[in-house]
Amino acid sequence: MKVYDELVARGLIAQVTDEEEIKTLINNGKATFYIGFDPTADSLHVGHFMALCLMKRLQMAGNKPIALIGGGTAMVGDPSGRTDMRQMMTEETIKHNCECFKKQMERFIDFSDGKALMVNNAEWLMDLNYIEFLRDIGPHFSVNRMLAAECYKQRMEKGLSFLEFNYMIMQSYDFYELFRRYGCNMQFGGDDQWSNMLGGTELIRRKLGENACAMTITLLLNSEGKKMGKTQSGAVWLDPEKTSPFEFYQYWRNVADADVLKCLRMLTFLPLEQIDEMDRWEGSQLNQAKEILAFELTKLVHGKEEAQKAQESARALFSCGNASNMPTTELKEEDFKDGKIDILSLLVTSGLTTSRSEARRAVEQGGVVFADEKVTDIHASYEKEKFLSGDIVLRRGKKNFRKIVC
């Protein structure tokens, strides 16, 4: 199967501007393509996972990836999928986040010997002469068309700042600069980025002529993929200091039955024939498929050794409620009041719930177990001495555990 056909079979391609030309470039290893990452945190999360896996997959086929870090666009903020304006970050924070991104991307992408590039759009955006930029680039964008774009429409009622209104033009300019500087002939992005990406393709053709080769592809479910980075207890990060390998493994081990094969196709490098065989699996066999998914992705991010440790701990946890690598919450002195901590505070502090109201509902619904005993009283509290043994496990539902120590 050719590379492009495999991308389609894995469910990765949603829309393209010129399928035959794109197919030819990708299949022959002639695509120099970019995917953008705005450094809004100091770690990538699982919402970026699909893009990283795609870049690795295409590089393995001889194509050249460009990881575009949005050091400049992060100063403005992407309004796509947002109901309010993103908090402004300092240049120092953005620079730090960019450095963190590069270290994590190197686990997926080979940047040696010019096989891939990492570029920061601050190189061309931060020193723009605003008036000159408006005169040169502005005439190529219709305000009416921009306002009709999905990324703006959903913000119009609640208010769209002029700062954010510039984001489409800046992202389009990114593609133009990458094409001009590095011969970048293709861009990938989520389905929520389609309007912004088309703007870049059109800008290149208007500035450089109709024969300029600039292609656009969107990734199926990439906007949904961004939501994948969030769970009831916060974000799932690729940084092991933020999300341990065990927690990362558990996140994928706990995906819904309906999503496991989709994730295996999109995110792993297992042969499609092997994944197609799993289509026949039912019941307990789906748990085996989830284990395969969790192991493969944990290995990709954290290495084989950590993946094996996480898998062994998860199996031990499910078999007897004990695991050496279980996520641990260490209580501090200030967590106790009069030497005790109540169950709602314990659930929030451990990260098993995000608020006391959510913790209350979890207890009332019978989903909380403390030291192998179901908690039925929302006012239950525990003395500090209870946690000194180091073997207290708090559980929410069947699959979310924390060891509590102090």
Side-chain angles (χ1 to χ4, degrees):
M1 186 183 292
K2 295 284 189 179
V3 181
Y4 183 83
D5 295 328
E6 183 176 351
L7 297 182
V8 173
R10 287 183 180 272
L12 288 166
I13 305 299
Q15 299 180 81
V16 298
T17 53
D18 189 332
E19 185 170 50
E20 288 306 312
E21 185 66 27
I22 288 170
K23 186 185 296 188
T24 299
L25 287 170
I26 288 178
N27 288 343
N28 291 290
K30 300 297 184 182
T32 298
F33 67 96
Y34 96 89
I35 298 179
F37 302 82
D38 273 356
T40 54
D42 58 1
S43 173
L44 297 163
H45 56 70
V46 300
H48 298 111
F49 212 70
M50 191 182 299
L52 293 169
C53 291
L54 175 74
M55 294 175 86
K56 181 179 177 70
R57 203 181 301 278
L58 288 175
Q59 187 180 47
M60 290 168 63
N63 298 286
K64 184 175 182 177
I66 299 177
L68 180 66
I69 307 298
T73 42
M75 300 290 288
V76 173
D78 182 2
S80 300
R82 298 186 62 84
T83 58
D84 56 1
M85 185 172 170
R86 179 177 282 138
Q87 186 176 358
M88 302 287 280
M89 296 186 295
T90 65
E91 290 187 42
E92 292 75 18
T93 298
I94 292 173
K95 182 179 179 182
H96 171 72
N97 293 351
C98 289
E99 292 169 354
C100 294
F101 275 24
K102 182 174 183 181
K103 291 178 183 176
Q104 292 175 351
M105 287 180 178
E106 287 172 343
R107 292 198 66 93
F108 295 81
I109 304 164
D110 181 4
F111 289 99
S112 66
D113 304 321
K115 295 174 186 173
L117 297 174
M118 179 168 287
V119 181
N120 190 326
N121 64 13
E123 291 180 21
W124 53 81
L125 291 178
M126 297 301 287
D127 295 325
L128 282 176
N129 180 314
Y130 184 62
I131 299 299
E132 182 180 342
F133 177 75
L134 284 179
R135 287 174 60 87
D136 185 33
I137 304 300
H140 300 291
F141 290 84
S142 160
V143 171
N144 289 345
R145 287 185 63 185
M146 290 172 69
L147 290 175
E150 196 62 37
C151 59
Y152 288 144
K153 272 199 286 188
Q154 58 189 330
R155 286 292 305 280
M156 291 304 292
E157 290 184 11
K158 293 194 174 182
L160 175 73
S161 72
F162 182 71
L163 179 71
E164 295 170 289
F165 189 62
N166 284 268
Y167 193 91
M168 181 187 291
I169 301 177
M170 294 172 71
Q171 183 172 328
S172 300
Y173 188 65
D174 282 345
F175 193 19
Y176 170 74
E177 283 294 323
L178 290 170
F179 180 91
R180 194 172 62 85
R181 295 176 183 224
Y182 305 107
C184 179
N185 52 25
M186 197 175 299
Q187 60 178 331
F188 284 79
D191 52 5
D192 59 338
Q193 295 291 314
W194 184 243
S195 297
N196 294 351
M197 294 165 67
L198 284 179
T201 298
E202 291 175 6
L203 177 61
I204 290 173
R205 289 176 175 165
R206 289 178 180 177
K207 291 283 291 179
L208 303 177
E210 284 296 322
N211 293 326
C213 178
M215 306 297 169
T216 302
I217 298 181
T218 68
L219 305 184
L220 182 65
L221 298 176
N222 199 36
S223 58
E224 184 176 302
K226 291 178 180 179
K227 300 172 189 174
M228 290 166 59
K230 299 291 185 181
T231 70
Q232 62 190 16
S233 57
V236 178
W237 305 100
L238 305 194
D239 183 345
E241 298 298 318
K242 291 177 173 288
T243 299
S244 72
F246 177 84
E247 290 173 299
F248 188 84
Y249 179 96
Q250 284 292 84
Y251 172 79
W252 296 107
R253 174 62 181 79
N254 295 336
V255 298
D257 290 355
D259 293 333
V260 60
L261 289 176
K262 178 173 65 179
C263 290
L264 280 164
R265 288 191 177 95
M266 288 182 169
L267 304 177
T268 76
F269 291 81
L270 296 175
L272 279 171
E273 295 80 9
Q274 181 180 346
I275 300 170
D276 290 341
E277 281 292 317
M278 300 180 198
D279 260 330
R280 304 186 184 95
W281 292 6
E282 297 177 352
S284 61
Q285 286 183 306
L286 282 176
N287 289 330
Q288 185 181 345
K290 293 179 184 181
E291 279 198 343
I292 293 171
L293 172 68
F295 181 84
E296 290 295 322
L297 298 188
T298 306
K299 181 176 70 173
L300 188 61
V301 175
H302 299 296
K304 186 175 181 179
E305 184 178 348
E306 290 295 336
Q308 288 173 334
K309 287 180 184 178
Q311 187 172 72
E312 290 167 5
S313 292
R315 287 174 176 173
L317 185 62
F318 280 109
S319 63
C320 60
N322 185 24
S324 58
N325 291 316
M326 188 189 304
T328 300
T329 296
E330 183 174 356
L331 299 177
K332 300 180 176 59
E333 193 62 42
E334 56 266 29
D335 293 323
F336 295 92
K337 293 182 180 179
D338 298 325
K340 294 182 178 182
I341 183 170
D342 65 87
I343 187 61
L344 303 187
S345 297
L346 195 56
L347 285 163
V348 174
T349 303
S350 67
L352 290 175
T353 64
T354 58
S355 66
R356 289 180 66 86
S357 59
E358 184 182 354
R360 177 191 290 266
R361 287 194 298 272
V363 172
E364 290 175 339
Q365 291 167 2
V368 176
V369 175
F370 178 89
D372 294 327
E373 292 185 5
K374 181 178 286 189
V375 181
T376 57
D377 182 3
I378 61 172
H379 301 294
S381 62
Y382 308 94
E383 295 182 352
K384 181 179 180 180
E385 288 72 20
K386 183 80 171 175
F387 304 95
L388 297 179
S389 65
D391 60 0
I392 295 296
V393 175
L394 179 66
R395 188 174 85 219
R396 180 190 176 185
K398 295 181 179 179
K399 301 175 182 178
N400 298 298
F401 297 79
R402 290 292 187 279
K403 183 184 291 185
I404 311 295
V405 300
C406 68

